[in-house]
Amino acid sequence: MGTLESKSEEMVSTKQQRIAENARNLPDVSFCALAHHVDAYWLYHAYVRTRKDGAPGIDNRSAADFERSLGENLGKLLEMFKSGRYRAPAVKRAYIPKAGGKEKRPIGIPTFEDKVLQRAVQMVLEPVYENEFYNFSYGFRPGKSAHDAIESLWKNLMNLRGGWVIDLDISKFFDTLEHGKLREILKRRVCDGVITRTIDKWLNAGVMEAGCVSYSETGTPQGGVISPVLSNIYLHEVLDRWFVEMVKPRLKGSAFLIRYADDAVIGCEFEEDARRILDVLPRRFERYGLKVHPEKTRLVDFRPPTGEEHKGKDSFSFLGFEHFWMKSRKKKWVVGRKTDGKRFARAIKATAKWCRAHMHKPVEEQHEMLSRKLAGHYGYYGITFNFRNLLRFYKRIRNVWYCWLCRRSSKITLKWKHFREYLRRVPLPFPRVVHSSCMANP
């Protein structure tokens, strides 16, 4: 199995390099022969790259079920894809909490078989479009991460010395993306009938909820493997290219755009430029069936403090971090980052809920899981300037755990000094900055 995996990876990598080279050399050509790259090795590598621990789709088949007859299942899937007989099943509707915790975000869960084929098609599209995507687009792209986007935003704000920031929010992007417009955009670079028809099947597959299947002429379900690359292709045309080719040449001052999937921030040197962009954004988005959220999209005065001011005029959040002005150790104004308040509260609430549900589990087992939760929190939020909030989170989790341990018995009271003694012997992970910036010490 290991030999097959390494061989499939090598063959797929070689083919992707060839596709990417052709895409670079032929920037104005629409490729009509891409599906032939998807062979048994390609599909097997797609299977290897597909998460195995996800929830099952409407067929209730897990990754383990698919793996029991892996060769047969992959062969059948490949034949149906090439012959056009593949029928995309409806995705199963599920809901996850939004950042505020009160509302829930709908997602779609494809079948595992569907995930594998979506991954295979995504692996074909990626090398074609990676040559076109701009460096300021970070969402779900190879070699790029949310932390890269956050770091790039910090550097741009520091280079601009603040300015005016458009905190852009697209209202229900994944639900309102127009299928017709997406097809038009795709055909400029990909006109392979097998690929485009398969994508059409996914777009029109429908959503199953409470036993009923509903269909829509707009949207691509969040949760699908193919959705991130399709959203990047769509927003590359709607926002990225428009900003670079049409907006920036008409501005008086410097400006930048940072985008991670459908989350974006536009920074401008002058207020006049920012207001002009903010005025035209709704009209630009309406041409593609999208809407700028009227309440969440706002113009932020993000100029650094002057004179006797002790803090910046405003702040904004991006990818779970609040950005604001603060004094560095050298008493200079720098852009600080800290955990967004809503994200912080949601993480505490979720951990407290877990402690309550597992309060009678062995203490060692609780300690192990809480250590993982803390390490995961530090892994994302452990960036320069955010240590104080990491320490707050550590103390809150420690206190929450102690409170629920105290409720294990009405007869025996756990004293704080005994709890602290236990933590001295078996400590919880202490906060640490995982993603430090060499430029963040002005």
Side-chain angles (χ1 to χ4, degrees):
M1 187 69 74
T3 304
L4 177 60
E5 184 173 334
S6 59
K7 184 176 180 179
S8 66
E9 182 178 3
E10 181 180 351
M11 294 183 69
V12 169
S13 178
T14 301
K15 288 184 177 182
Q16 286 183 317
Q17 290 175 12
R18 194 178 306 140
I19 295 171
E21 185 177 352
N22 289 335
R24 277 193 301 270
N25 295 335
L26 304 168
D28 300 319
V29 170
S30 180
F31 293 91
C32 58
L34 291 173
H36 72 278
H37 292 293
V38 182
D39 55 15
Y41 288 105
W42 189 286
L43 204 58
Y44 176 76
H45 191 59
Y47 160 77
V48 171
R49 289 183 55 187
T50 303
R51 280 184 56 185
K52 312 299 189 296
D53 58 348
I58 62 172
D59 61 354
N60 289 321
R61 290 183 67 195
S62 65
D65 296 330
F66 188 85
E67 190 176 0
R68 288 191 185 97
S69 302
L70 182 59
E72 181 183 345
N73 288 331
L74 289 178
K76 182 180 177 182
L77 182 61
L78 180 62
E79 192 278 327
M80 288 193 299
F81 168 68
K82 290 294 185 76
S83 65
R85 293 191 299 108
Y86 183 77
R87 293 292 177 264
V91 298
K92 183 166 68 176
R93 174 69 79 209
Y95 295 89
I96 58 174
K98 285 190 175 182
K102 296 180 180 179
E103 299 181 17
K104 291 188 176 182
R105 184 191 305 277
I107 62 169
I109 304 174
T111 63
F112 184 77
E113 182 181 66
D114 215 15
K115 291 177 184 178
V116 173
L117 188 56
Q118 287 189 27
R119 178 67 68 188
V121 173
Q122 178 257 336
M123 287 159 49
V124 174
L125 296 177
E126 199 171 76
V128 174
Y129 284 97
E130 276 300 310
N131 294 287
E132 296 193 5
F133 291 160
Y134 293 104
N135 289 331
F136 56 73
S137 169
Y138 291 89
F140 308 105
R141 293 181 59 193
K144 292 180 178 288
S145 69
H147 292 101
D148 293 330
I150 294 164
E151 186 65 14
S152 178
L153 175 60
W154 187 87
K155 291 176 180 178
N156 275 282
L157 289 170
M158 289 297 294
N159 291 336
L160 204 61
R161 293 306 301 164
W164 297 81
V165 170
I166 299 174
D167 186 5
L168 177 60
D169 187 279
I170 305 173
S171 182
K172 299 181 179 179
F173 168 72
F174 287 94
D175 296 330
T176 57
L177 179 152
E178 284 196 0
H179 296 173
K181 292 289 186 181
L182 177 60
R183 292 186 189 99
E184 291 178 14
I185 296 170
L186 274 171
K187 285 182 179 179
R188 294 173 192 170
R189 291 298 270 159
V190 178
C191 61
D192 184 300
V194 176
I195 298 290
T196 56
R197 282 193 297 270
T198 304
I199 292 174
D200 278 346
K201 291 174 183 178
W202 287 322
L203 293 175
N204 298 315
V207 176
M208 177 174 285
E209 185 172 11
C212 298
V213 179
S214 59
Y215 300 91
S216 174
E217 295 182 0
T218 61
T220 173
Q222 284 181 270
V225 177
I226 198 70
S227 294
V229 69
L230 293 181
S231 66
N232 272 334
I233 292 170
Y234 203 75
L235 286 175
H236 172 75
E237 178 67 25
V238 176
L239 182 60
D240 300 356
R241 279 188 57 193
W242 172 72
F243 179 79
V244 171
E245 298 177 5
M246 304 296 292
V247 175
K248 284 191 73 174
R250 291 170 169 79
L251 300 181
K252 292 184 177 180
S254 301
F256 67 86
L257 167 65
I258 304 292
R259 184 174 66 80
Y260 189 91
D262 61 329
D263 292 324
V265 169
I266 300 174
C268 296
E269 183 179 1
F270 300 127
E271 180 181 7
E272 180 185 350
D273 288 339
R275 292 195 179 280
R276 287 174 61 197
I277 296 174
L278 194 60
D279 287 341
V280 76
L281 269 173
R283 296 195 295 273
R284 173 66 181 179
F285 276 43
E286 283 174 7
R287 288 180 57 187
Y288 293 86
L290 304 177
K291 290 184 179 181
V292 175
H293 199 292
E295 297 174 0
K296 296 181 180 180
T297 299
R298 62 194 186 100
L299 182 61
V300 179
D301 184 352
F302 202 71
R303 292 172 296 176
T306 57
E308 300 299 321
E309 295 177 336
H310 298 290
K311 64 178 183 178
K313 296 178 177 63
D314 205 347
S315 63
F316 67 95
S317 293
F318 182 64
L319 298 181
F321 291 93
E322 182 182 349
H323 296 74
F324 61 99
W325 285 101
M326 60 173 284
K327 280 285 184 71
S328 70
R329 292 178 180 177
K330 297 181 180 180
K331 305 302 178 184
K332 294 182 180 180
W333 287 108
V334 297
V335 177
R337 291 88 57 93
K338 65 181 181 180
T339 310
D340 178 76
K342 292 181 179 179
R343 295 284 189 96
F344 187 94
R346 186 176 68 179
I348 295 293
K349 184 178 180 180
T351 306
K353 184 177 180 180
W354 184 91
C355 288
R356 179 181 180 180
H358 298 82
M359 60 187 291
H360 293 296
K361 293 283 187 179
V363 175
E364 295 78 10
E365 188 176 319
Q366 294 185 46
H367 179 278
E368 181 182 356
M369 181 55 68
L370 288 174
S371 296
R372 291 180 184 177
K373 290 179 180 292
L374 285 168
H377 187 87
Y378 304 155
Y380 185 78
Y381 292 103
I383 67 173
T384 306
F385 300 134
N386 198 35
F387 181 81
R388 183 178 298 178
N389 278 273
L390 297 181
L391 187 59
R392 278 181 60 218
F393 187 79
Y394 166 82
K395 291 179 178 179
R396 290 286 298 275
I397 295 301
R398 180 193 62 187
N399 295 345
V400 164
W401 188 28
Y402 171 71
C403 289
W404 283 107
L405 287 177
C406 287
R407 300 188 184 190
R408 284 161 64 97
S409 173
S410 59
K411 298 178 180 180
I412 303 175
T413 302
L414 175 64
K415 295 187 180 297
W416 176 253
K417 65 178 182 180
H418 295 149
F419 180 66
R420 292 193 65 177
E421 178 61 30
Y422 172 77
L423 289 182
R424 274 194 287 269
R425 288 186 284 107
V426 190
L428 290 169
F430 197 73
R432 67 189 185 97
V433 173
V434 179
H435 309 278
S436 60
S437 170
C438 60
M439 292 182 61
N441 296 304

